[in-house]
Amino acid sequence: MEHELTLRIVLEKPPGDVDFGLQKGRGSNYETIQKQRYKGKDLSFEFTVRVKADSKAAAPNFLGPLVHGPTGERFIYIDIGTYAGQTGTGWSRRLKVPLRGITWDMIDRVSADKESLLETRVPGTGKDGSPTCATVKPFPGWKLVSRRR
């Protein structure tokens, strides 16, 4: 059985002169959606993915045009700078936000409560002041939250 799951990634205090957006598609055939730039408020990316089990006991398998990586190690890309289509910037990066840690119990709870979703909050700026990139470490995980903020 397949479910649709709403997720939200909050990018906390990224640099203000850089574009960020969700990567839809793969390879050189992708587009950046929900493009945003920091203007004093954290950036929020809300989207849906499909999820199914390959067998009754299997871990969730995430699917859809925003999902990347091999089964069991799926993630969402946030495009940064030129990867997000920005010109006139020296930044060309991607941030990998893992989908690990999302359990069937969490999916069932979100499915039962249409006013909730799963959210993760990740730093938008690295220790050196540049946009965070590569895989989020340490990864804070996903939490059930209200759709309303």
Side-chain angles (χ1 to χ4, degrees):
M1 181 176 197
E2 206 170 273
H3 298 274
E4 197 167 86
L5 180 64
T6 302
L7 303 174
R8 181 188 299 144
I9 298 170
V10 177
L11 197 57
E12 298 176 327
K13 299 178 182 148
D17 59 346
V18 183
D19 289 347
F20 296 82
L22 293 173
Q23 182 174 311
K24 181 179 181 183
R26 291 165 181 68
S28 60
N29 188 23
Y30 74 89
E31 66 177 310
T32 302
I33 61 171
Q34 298 187 31
K35 195 181 316 185
Q36 303 174 47
R37 191 176 286 190
Y38 182 70
K39 293 180 180 160
K41 288 180 64 177
D42 294 338
L43 304 184
S44 181
F45 302 95
E46 192 169 311
F47 55 96
T48 60
V49 297
R50 294 185 338 271
V51 60
K52 71 173 193 166
D54 294 327
S55 73
K56 241 353 186 176
N61 184 15
F62 302 96
L63 305 166
L66 299 174
V67 177
H68 305 275
T71 304
E73 298 176 33
R74 303 272 201 225
F75 58 89
I76 303 296
Y77 265 138
I78 296 189
D79 294 336
I80 303 167
T82 62
Y83 284 121
Q86 183 180 4
T87 59
T89 181
W91 301 115
S92 297
R93 296 181 168 184
R94 287 191 178 106
L95 177 64
K96 282 178 154 182
V97 181
L99 294 173
R100 72 174 170 263
I102 298 176
T103 65
W104 280 113
D105 180 59
M106 295 166 87
I107 293 166
D108 290 343
R109 289 173 58 198
V110 169
S111 295
D113 179 2
K114 298 300 179 194
E115 294 301 313
S116 66
L117 54 77
L118 293 177
E119 177 184 274
T120 189
R121 302 180 74 83
V122 298
T125 302
K127 292 177 184 174
D128 64 356
S130 68
T132 302
C133 64
T135 302
V136 176
K137 291 179 187 170
F139 181 62
W142 294 89
K143 295 180 181 157
L144 187 72
V145 299
S146 171
R147 283 184 189 266
R148 291 180 240 127
R149 293 188 190 202

